[in-house]
Amino acid sequence: MANIGKALVIGAGIGGLTTAAGLLRQGIEAEVFEARPSPGRLLTGGGFMLWHNAFLALRRIGLDEAVAADAVRMRFHEFRSDSGRRLARWELDGPTRECGAPACALRRSSLHRVLTEAVGEHRIRPGRRLTGYAQDADGVTARFADGSAARGDVLIGADGLRSTVRATMRRGFEPPPRYSGYTAWQAITRLPGESTAPTGTFFNLWGRGGLRFLYCRLNESEVYWDAVTSDRAAAGIDTVGRTRGAALAAAYRRWPEPVGRIIASTEEEAILPVAIHDRPPGGGWSRGRVVLVGDAAHPMTLNLSQGAGQAVESGVVLADLLGRSEPGAVPETLRRFESARRARCAEMVDTSWRIGTLGLVHSTALSRLRDLMMYAFFDSVAKGRSYGLMLDDRLDRGPVPAASGRGTG
């Protein structure tokens, strides 16, 4: 059993719940505080990719098979232009065999459910908005808007991009998050049929005028998609008198099928616009017995599909280090955590930001030049670099978890 008795986790998202699950596995009691009265759509909705590295991390806390069971395994990552031309196609079975872990697409709610079950709902306190904390040599006391308080050996800020813990730690001297210049219109739609979206391929389409479109099948009847639009391209999308679906359909009207079919099949209320932000890489994730994890520490844009994966990795590493720490050594342990994670997360943040700038191209000539570059280099240079980021040899290896049968086709 660990020497540390209790951790206070602020935020019941992926980073917070992964950390709490890892702490419990280490024998450390964890109490999770969530500002929202219930998880809500923003916390559990939508779909996303979990790459090999995330499953390697989940394996260390015994949750990889449970997550893979409700996911669809990706066998290919295919890049295309808005004319339908294939620019690159990455085969994912090789990396899966190499590291012993798959890449999968799944509902965010599926991962959240597995993590919630691992932590236990009785340890999650909804409707508890943090207002501040105080720490001393022996522990940390968290204070909440409802007048309640909680005491623990360590406080973990997993409260997202606009973290209250981060702002408190830095005493308000913190610049706002960095806006990327584009919005992701995210949705899940009911659309059966392998001809529309074949199982096992993640499609990544790059267009002119600051438009991109990503989609993949989640199961036999559902497709997850993202329409990524630069500010200039999005200027007329969410206008008065026009629904989001109709505006997006007009914006992508010249794109190859199944883009139009996917948008047309989606219910209006299912389309959620998310303005994409990150923070430039930087240090200072901990102060005394307080530490940041996930988006509170290293938020990143969506271009590598690594935001959730890095939150999972950080949560597992932090829990492992705290499990080997004595109560009096918590500040030193938290500094070790940042030392272990900072360079890897910074590389993810920077790489994801650079990829995003490629999507801001508006001129036809520059778009064609970008497509030629992708055609020439994405099957070799970019593929090798991405695999290097996604396959983390520092994580334990083992047999590939048994993803659902629908993910093997």
Side-chain angles (χ1 to χ4, degrees):
M1 297 291 287
N3 292 314
I4 295 175
K6 184 177 182 180
L8 309 179
V9 181
I10 311 301
I14 291 172
L17 291 177
T18 300
T19 307
L23 290 169
L24 292 167
R25 193 174 176 89
Q26 294 288 338
I28 300 173
E29 183 56 33
E31 194 171 10
V32 183
F33 301 89
E34 169 58 42
R36 297 183 182 93
S38 61
R41 183 180 179 189
L42 288 177
L43 190 62
T44 62
F48 66 118
M49 284 285 295
L50 273 184
W51 291 95
H52 314 277
N53 59 291
F55 281 97
L56 288 169
L58 287 167
R59 179 175 298 152
R60 291 177 61 167
I61 58 173
L63 298 180
D64 56 321
E65 292 188 359
V67 173
D70 200 26
V72 57
R73 185 172 298 167
M74 292 291 104
R75 300 188 61 192
F76 302 98
H77 187 185
E78 187 163 308
F79 300 85
R80 293 184 177 183
S81 70
D82 58 1
S83 67
R85 179 191 183 191
R86 182 189 292 177
L87 303 174
R89 193 182 202 216
W90 297 355
E91 186 268 325
L92 303 180
D93 286 345
T96 293
R97 289 189 298 269
E98 178 185 342
C99 72
C104 292
L106 67 160
R107 279 182 170 269
R108 185 171 295 271
S109 57
S110 296
L111 177 57
H112 194 268
R113 174 185 54 77
V114 172
L115 293 172
T116 298
E117 291 174 355
V119 172
E121 290 190 13
H122 63 287
R123 293 189 178 92
I124 302 173
R125 311 281 181 259
R128 302 284 285 276
R129 181 173 61 84
L130 183 79
T131 57
Y133 61 80
Q135 58 178 314
D136 51 45
D138 299 320
V140 188
T141 300
R143 299 185 300 273
F144 300 94
D146 62 2
S148 63
R151 178 82 173 170
D153 297 293
V154 60
L155 186 144
I156 299 164
D159 48 343
L161 177 69
R162 294 174 174 84
S163 166
T164 299
V165 177
R166 183 182 181 119
T168 304
M169 179 188 295
R170 303 185 180 208
R171 299 183 177 92
F173 296 102
E174 176 78 352
R178 176 174 60 172
Y179 177 51
S180 66
Y182 46 90
T183 295
W185 305 76
Q186 303 177 342
I188 294 176
T189 183
R190 292 190 61 82
L191 191 61
E194 287 291 306
S195 61
T196 301
T199 299
T201 300
F202 182 77
F203 291 93
N204 195 332
L205 279 66
W206 292 69
R208 292 162 290 177
L211 295 176
R212 286 181 281 160
F213 197 88
L214 302 83
Y215 67 95
C216 66
R217 182 161 294 284
L218 292 177
N219 52 51
E220 292 179 356
S221 60
E222 291 182 316
V223 171
Y224 165 67
W225 60 271
D226 263 334
V228 183
T229 62
S230 70
D231 284 353
R232 180 174 165 187
I237 286 183
D238 200 14
T239 57
V240 176
R242 172 179 268 185
T243 66
R244 292 171 179 173
L248 286 168
Y252 288 88
R253 64 187 179 279
R254 294 189 178 91
W255 284 53
E257 290 295 352
V259 172
R261 195 177 313 141
I262 289 172
I263 295 173
S265 71
T266 308
E267 296 181 3
E268 179 70 13
E269 59 272 17
I271 303 174
L272 179 67
V274 180
I276 305 301
H277 295 77
D278 74 353
R279 290 187 186 275
W285 295 357
S286 70
R287 179 167 293 173
R289 292 175 171 270
V290 180
V291 67
L292 305 174
V293 73
D295 281 352
H298 45 75
M300 59 193 69
T301 57
L302 76 172
N303 301 292
L304 284 175
S305 298
Q306 279 288 346
Q310 291 309 298
V312 168
E313 281 191 10
S314 288
V316 170
V317 171
L318 177 59
D320 182 64
L321 289 171
L322 286 171
R324 294 183 274 123
S325 175
E326 295 183 358
V330 167
E332 178 186 351
T333 299
L334 300 184
R335 289 192 294 270
R336 288 178 57 202
F337 162 70
E338 179 174 350
S339 178
R341 292 291 299 153
R342 183 176 173 182
R344 176 165 169 78
C345 292
E347 187 174 16
M348 292 284 189
V349 171
D350 285 339
T351 301
S352 188
W353 183 268
R354 288 195 296 269
I355 293 172
T357 62
L358 295 176
L360 297 177
V361 171
H362 279 265
S363 76
T364 299
L366 288 177
S367 295
R368 287 175 177 170
L369 181 63
R370 179 200 61 207
D371 291 351
L372 285 172
M373 182 271 293
M374 294 176 70
Y375 184 80
F377 297 110
F378 261 49
D379 264 336
S380 54
V381 177
K383 178 180 178 181
R385 178 164 176 78
S386 294
Y387 284 175
L389 288 172
M390 294 171 190
L391 308 183
D392 189 343
D393 288 334
R394 293 170 296 176
L395 296 175
D396 296 335
R397 297 186 177 192
V400 177
S404 64
R406 62 176 182 273
T408 62

